[in-house]
Amino acid sequence: MRSILMGEETRTTMTIEPNESTSQALVYDTNTRRMVCKLISYLLQYPDTAWREGLQGVKEAIQSISDETINQILLTFVDEAQAVSSIEWQDAYVRTFDFDKKCNLYLTYALHGDERDRGPALIELKRRYEAAGFYMEVSELPDYLPMVLEFVAEAPEEDALGVLSSCHKALVTMTESITGQNSPYGPLLSLMLQVIPEPPAPDVPKQEEAVNQQPEDLMQIAAQMRRGNR
């Protein structure tokens, strides 16, 4: 699978191992959450030729998951993608994520919209990644959902939960908007919310601390935002 984040010591290649089935009424264990987030991270990336070629490997990984509900949702998504042409699936992707800011894969855009309000939130996410020993590829913003999910799949538990907490409101907003579209991505995002824990309380970014970061950080993020916005 393609990776977006890299750790100083840990690479973003994860071994998929079978899990014990977990009831939907219970909190999913850490290994299950990591596995599902890793797979969804891949599936939410743009469906180009390389993405489509990787679906068979994704399918094999999914089949090792013992939870029948998770298995069925992910396999159904992959089967639907493989059943249509690349052009058709790319069209579904664009229609899902490109025409409503609430459905945008850049999470802070759904909440803040403009550069002034997004900047501090993006810097805070970047800080969280670096504190956990991960760095970003410069071509993406830190709030790009596949990147967030890959971090959650690979980072230490405390760091992963911190990022999930800071993004949870945006994840809920996106999922609710997309499930109302009858998009094939709706069940995938609903599964994402199902396996990640809800934060015990809203996690408000430290805006003042973020604003006091070096100016070049803000300039770099502003340049990325111009490339990343859809």
Side-chain angles (χ1 to χ4, degrees), residues 59 64 141 158:
K59 198 169 186 176
S64 72
L141 290 165
E158 183 177 353

Side-chain angles (χ1 to χ4, degrees), residues 116-135:
R116 183 188 63 184
D117 293 333
R118 287 180 71 195
L122 290 167
I123 289 176
E124 173 63 12
L125 265 178
K126 182 180 177 184
R127 183 197 67 78
R128 288 178 182 269
Y129 293 158
E130 292 174 349
F134 290 77
Y135 63 88

Side-chain angles (χ1 to χ4, degrees), residues 23-83:
S23 169
Q24 292 186 37
L26 301 176
V27 175
Y28 285 93
D29 61 73
T30 300
N31 288 337
T32 299
R33 186 186 72 238
R34 288 181 184 275
M35 183 189 308
V36 174
C37 286
K38 184 71 174 181
L39 291 168
I40 294 178
S41 171
Y42 183 88
L43 294 174
L44 287 178
Q45 295 180 47
Y46 185 76
D48 56 17
T49 301
W51 180 88
R52 184 168 287 271
E53 290 173 351
L55 287 182
Q56 187 56 42
V58 170
K59 198 169 186 176
E60 292 171 3
I62 293 170
Q63 289 170 336
S64 72
I65 301 174
S66 60
D67 186 289
E68 293 182 3
T69 300
I70 292 175
N71 190 293
Q72 181 178 9
I73 292 170
L74 294 175
L75 284 178
T76 297
F77 178 89
V78 174
D79 287 342
E80 289 178 356
Q82 291 180 318

Side-chain angles (χ1 to χ4, degrees), residues 92-160:
Y93 185 93
V94 169
R95 284 188 286 105
T96 298
F97 298 115
D98 284 13
F99 297 111
D100 185 340
K101 75 174 187 177
K102 291 182 180 179
C103 302
N104 197 290
L105 285 170
Y106 296 89
L107 298 176
T108 63
Y109 186 76
L111 298 179
H112 303 296
D114 62 41
E115 293 185 7
R116 183 188 63 184
D117 293 333
R118 287 180 71 195
L122 290 167
I123 289 176
E124 173 63 12
L125 265 178
K126 182 180 177 184
R127 183 197 67 78
R128 288 178 182 269
Y129 293 158
E130 292 174 349
F134 290 77
Y135 63 88
M136 296 165 39
E137 291 185 353
V138 295
S139 61
E140 281 300 350
L141 290 165
D143 65 338
Y144 180 52
L145 181 54
M147 177 180 289
V148 171
L149 292 175
E150 185 166 356
F151 177 81
V152 169
E154 299 292 341
E157 181 75 352
E158 183 177 353
D159 298 301

